[in-house]
Amino acid sequence: MKIACCIKRVPDSETRVKIAADGKSLDEAGVKFVMNPYDEFAVEEALRRKEKAGTGEVVVICLGPAAGQETIRTALAMGADRGVLLQTEKTPADSFETARLIAAELKSGTWDLILFGRMAIDDYNHQVGVIVAELLGLPCVSAVSHLDIEGLKGIAEREIEGGIEVVEFPLPAVLTVDKGLNEPRYPALKGIMAAKKKPLEVKAVRPGAGTIEIAALTPPPERKEGKIVGEGAGAVAELVRLLREEAKVL
Amino acid sequence: MSTTLAVLEQRDGALRKISYEVVTAAQRLGGTVEAVVCGTGAVQGTDQVGRFGADRVVTLTNPSFARYDPEGCAQALAERITHGGYEVVVFAASATGKDLAPRVAAKLGVSVAADLTDLSADSNGLVVTRPVYAGKALLKARVAARPAVLSVRPSIFTPVERPKAGAAEIVAVTAPVVPSRVVVREIKAAPAGTLDVAEAQVIISGGRGLKEPANFKVLEELARAFGGRAAVGASRAVVDAGWRAHADQVGQTGKTVSPSLYIAVGISGAIQHLAGMRTSKVIVAINKDKDAPIFKIADYGVVGDLFEIVPKLTEEIRKLHG
Ligand SMILES: Cc1cc2nc3c(=O)[nH]c(=O)nc-3n(C[C@H](O)[C@H](O)[C@H](O)COP(=O)(O)OP(=O)(O)OC[C@H]3O[C@@H](n4cnc5c(N)ncnc54)[C@H](O)[C@@H]3O)c2cc1C
Ligand SMILES: Nc1ncnc2c1ncn2[C@@H]1O[C@H](COP(=O)(O)O)[C@@H](O)[C@H]1O
């Protein structure tokens, strides 16, 4: 199995968001960056598929600044074979531009599977994998939380409102993966040492401006100061009154 | 004047409620609103869409559109959009919309401005707002693409009746048959009577404070007291422990919800949980720790033991609905 995984470098979800002086971006000072959590499911799935097949290669691709090398090393430490950093000054904000550059890189190889996360936890865009599939003309299933593959046929499950869709697709394919698919492994010390010697190619790329122009990044609107209604079961009557008369939700 | 295309959703031949939200969002931009839905034939509910501001409702029909047909719908919509001269195309950021919108956008060569919580048109074009960084910031952006492809977060654009003079025109158009490689073989439905957290008006979510899985029946009883409007949600801690299904998880790696009432019970309020529910209209927290972070974003808090408070609340809600 030859599998590509696209991994994004994102601020850790605990990060305190400070807005930069330009009023349009995150102030990255002191921010800890990690591999997008959904992409960990993708890397894990790739490793398991390769292990099951007994042969193959897992290649991770990251588009972003030089520091993206650290994200790639994390995946290599988990067990991926090699990495490609599509290096830019900053991680591009535009999904189509991101997808275009990743698709161009993927075209230089042949793959049985190309895996993405369901979404990146910084931008919540939920689309790069699907757009890449379209650009490559490959079948795509998004938000996969269960996967079976027999030969060139795959069956995936994806959560929808009020149920689960069971989707059949042929390989090669692009999948975007959801939580529930697997439990990602932690890199072992041995893996971390081995990762240092694995190949990591750096290629400079140039994203275009895209079609969505960021005007401002602002703190979310403050929620109106809440109140503690009281303590224990004795506060319930007052809570219900407030929900009825003040909040008008009952 | 500009035309906006609102992409509706159906399941089992009937429009899904989210469709009215999409139309409501689309008509915010002014101009003409055309609504479109993929189906096998007449879709139940299309005659109601006009009430929410649509001027025309088009059903793209194809025998393969009984269940969601990702490749067929994307192709049919992209063709319609390419020839239709729309300025803006609005999808729902639902499970289906999150799959379909990027397929269509890719065919048009643009990004999706996804999961919007606000949108407006001014003389300089289209301005959209979306939460980023787990809801810790709001991004305001201008969308330059024509057509602009948008998706709107469920439960944000409350349907508003805005009938236009005269009934909306209802049209059916045969969509070309595309041999789809990706086929939905089956839908495993959740047990009858369970409402999905993504669609409930009231959500009662439980966390590790519930102590053990069987105790969730306390929350289920409260949900029942709301008479079919409420669903039971969960924090990741209890989903990972196997107490509840992943489908019920609210938060960054679960569902994003915006119900009119969210009751967090025995949930501490970790940032990743808040990411999924902070756009709820009214938030109630029940927690024995008065310093729990959930109280910082709750509108109303009750400090104390959930096993005393929740049954009392159930009783009071039953009285109201009784
Ligand atoms: C990448 C990433 C993604 C994540 N995604 C999600 C996500 O999608 N959703 C999510 O929820 N979390 C998510 N988390 C986990 C999150 O950080 C928290 O660990 C989790 O939300 C905690 O769950 P909890 O509130 O149920 O448990 P705890 O934090 O243990 O809180 C339990 C609460 O119950 C209260 N309590 C105990 N007993 C009682 C009682 N008898 N009566 C009243 N109150 C009581 C306690 O005071 C406490 O506040 C994610 C974490 C990471 C790193
Ligand atoms: N800059 C990037 N580099 C590599 N992969 C990316 C990048 N941006 C997005 N992806 C992939 O696309 C998925 C969805 O991202 P998004 O559409 O931004 O929510 C992520 O989980 C990654 O797998």
Side-chain angles (χ1 to χ4, degrees):
Chain A
M1 275 246 167
K2 256 199 104 186
I3 307 174
C5 285
C6 297
I7 59 174
K8 186 178 187 187
R9 174 180 178 267
V10 298
D12 183 87
S13 63
E14 300 282 350
T15 302
R16 273 196 51 225
V17 168
K18 221 184 120 213
I19 290 152
D22 67 0
K24 293 181 185 182
S25 58
L26 177 71
D27 179 350
E28 294 191 358
V31 171
K32 181 182 159 213
F33 283 86
V34 296
M35 187 193 315
N36 182 40
Y38 288 101
D39 304 352
E40 293 179 4
F41 301 121
V43 174
E44 178 62 37
E45 195 59 28
L47 295 174
R48 288 188 193 189
R49 294 281 153 201
K50 180 190 146 185
E51 284 158 9
K52 199 168 163 219
T55 62
E57 189 184 28
V58 174
V59 180
V60 292
I61 299 169
C62 176
L63 169 64
Q69 290 195 29
E70 294 161 22
T71 316
I72 292 176
R73 292 281 175 213
T74 306
L76 297 179
M78 286 172 76
D81 298 294
R82 64 182 174 89
V84 179
L85 175 67
L86 302 174
Q87 192 171 327
T88 52
E89 199 182 317
K90 284 172 58 178
T91 302
D94 191 87
S95 303
F96 189 84
E97 278 305 300
T98 301
R100 187 177 66 77
L101 293 168
I102 291 176
E105 172 60 25
L106 287 165
K107 270 191 196 140
S108 66
T110 52
W111 313 99
D112 298 300
L113 277 178
I114 303 174
L115 303 181
F116 290 83
R118 166 166 79 101
M119 65 168 195
I121 63 155
D122 54 352
D123 63 25
Y124 272 58
N125 268 327
H126 224 296
Q127 53 187 290
V128 168
V130 181
I131 298 178
V132 167
E134 286 287 336
L135 295 177
L136 297 176
L138 287 174
C140 173
V141 186
S142 70
V144 172
S145 56
H146 185 85
L147 179 65
D148 284 316
I149 294 177
E150 282 296 336
L152 289 180
K153 195 177 119 183
I155 306 251
E157 292 188 359
R158 55 192 306 270
E159 269 177 21
I160 58 171
E161 296 82 5
I164 288 170
E165 266 177 2
V166 183
V167 189
E168 210 174 277
F169 63 95
L171 268 63
V174 173
L175 304 177
T176 83
V177 304
D178 200 354
K179 176 171 175 279
L181 186 61
N182 55 43
E183 256 329 304
R185 65 195 68 184
Y186 287 105
L189 186 62
K190 203 169 130 232
I192 297 170
M193 298 311 290
K196 293 192 176 131
K197 299 195 197 83
K198 289 182 178 171
L200 195 171
E201 199 182 343
V202 179
K203 302 180 180 177
V205 294
R206 220 177 240 284
T211 49
I212 299 179
E213 185 206 338
I214 297 174
L217 190 68
T218 56
E222 291 282 333
R223 286 192 75 97
K224 191 168 59 49
E225 181 86 35
K227 56 178 139 196
I228 299 286
V229 179
E231 290 196 14
V236 169
E238 175 63 1
L239 172 68
V240 171
R241 189 191 70 77
L242 287 167
L243 290 177
R244 242 163 80 101
E245 293 172 14
E246 193 175 270
K248 300 193 165 57
V249 287
L250 292 183
Chain B
M1 197 141 66
S2 71
T3 304
T4 300
L5 185 68
V7 182
L8 314 184
E9 285 183 23
Q10 58 99 7
R11 206 180 285 171
D12 300 327
L15 277 190
R16 299 187 65 237
K17 267 203 280 213
I18 186 100
S19 301
Y20 305 111
E21 297 177 20
V22 177
V23 174
T24 298
Q27 63 85 27
R28 282 252 198 116
L29 300 173
T32 309
V33 175
E34 180 173 303
V36 64
V37 62
C38 293
T40 48
V43 174
Q44 208 184 320
T46 40
D47 54 339
Q48 300 300 310
V49 179
R51 280 171 40 212
F52 299 91
D55 299 273
R56 189 180 314 119
V57 188
V58 179
T59 310
L60 296 175
T61 64
N62 183 317
S64 75
F65 291 170
R67 297 204 188 97
Y68 173 47
D69 172 8
E71 298 189 336
C73 292
Q75 186 65 39
L77 285 170
E79 275 171 26
R80 175 132 199 119
I81 293 164
T82 310
H83 298 118
Y86 309 101
E87 292 268 291
V88 184
V89 183
V90 187
F91 289 83
S94 57
T96 300
K98 282 178 184 157
D99 186 82
L100 183 58
R103 290 180 194 266
V104 173
K107 290 183 195 292
L108 303 172
V110 301
S111 302
V112 186
D115 207 16
L116 307 181
T117 52
D118 201 6
L119 79 173
S120 61
D122 65 18
S123 52
N124 293 319
L126 189 60
V127 182
V128 299
T129 304
R130 50 196 306 271
V132 291
Y133 301 115
K136 286 179 279 184
L138 284 182
L139 188 73
K140 236 189 186 131
R142 288 193 171 278
V143 187
R146 286 297 171 268
V149 177
L150 320 178
S151 71
V152 293
R153 180 174 284 201
S155 305
I156 296 288
F157 296 87
T158 313
V160 181
E161 297 223 13
R162 196 147 304 174
K164 297 193 172 164
E169 183 191 351
I170 298 186
V171 196
V173 176
T174 312
V177 174
V178 180
S180 288
R181 298 166 297 182
V182 177
V183 180
V184 176
R185 281 280 171 239
E186 183 194 349
I187 296 177
K188 293 187 191 164
T194 47
L195 185 60
D196 196 283
V197 288
E199 305 197 299
Q201 288 167 42
V202 177
I203 298 174
I204 299 136
S205 282
R208 199 136 45 186
L210 269 290
K211 301 279 190 297
E212 53 177 290
N215 290 336
F216 267 81
K217 71 171 187 302
V218 185
L219 304 191
E220 274 152 14
E221 271 162 33
L222 175 54
R224 255 195 305 279
F226 281 96
R229 285 198 302 145
V232 174
S235 73
R236 176 168 176 172
V238 301
V239 170
D240 284 356
W243 299 3
R244 303 298 288 181
H246 179 247
D248 301 340
Q249 185 184 317
V250 173
Q252 189 171 73
T253 41
K255 287 185 174 144
T256 305
V257 299
S258 313
S260 37
L261 176 60
Y262 189 90
I263 309 184
V265 182
I267 290 180
S268 58
I271 188 70
Q272 299 90 353
H273 188 80
L274 305 188
M277 44 66 79
R278 69 190 309 153
T279 47
S280 303
K281 273 136 219 139
V282 174
I283 299 172
V284 171
I286 299 172
N287 197 301
K288 69 175 184 190
D289 172 10
K290 69 170 186 1
D291 296 320
I294 191 76
F295 287 125
K296 292 210 178 67
I297 95 158
D299 300 287
Y300 303 105
V302 178
V303 180
D305 183 6
L306 72 93
F307 296 103
E308 289 169 22
I309 297 164
V310 176
K312 180 74 187 157
L313 182 56
T314 306
E315 201 182 301
E316 294 285 327
I317 300 292
R318 268 200 206 117
K319 271 191 223 156
L320 282 181
H321 291 245

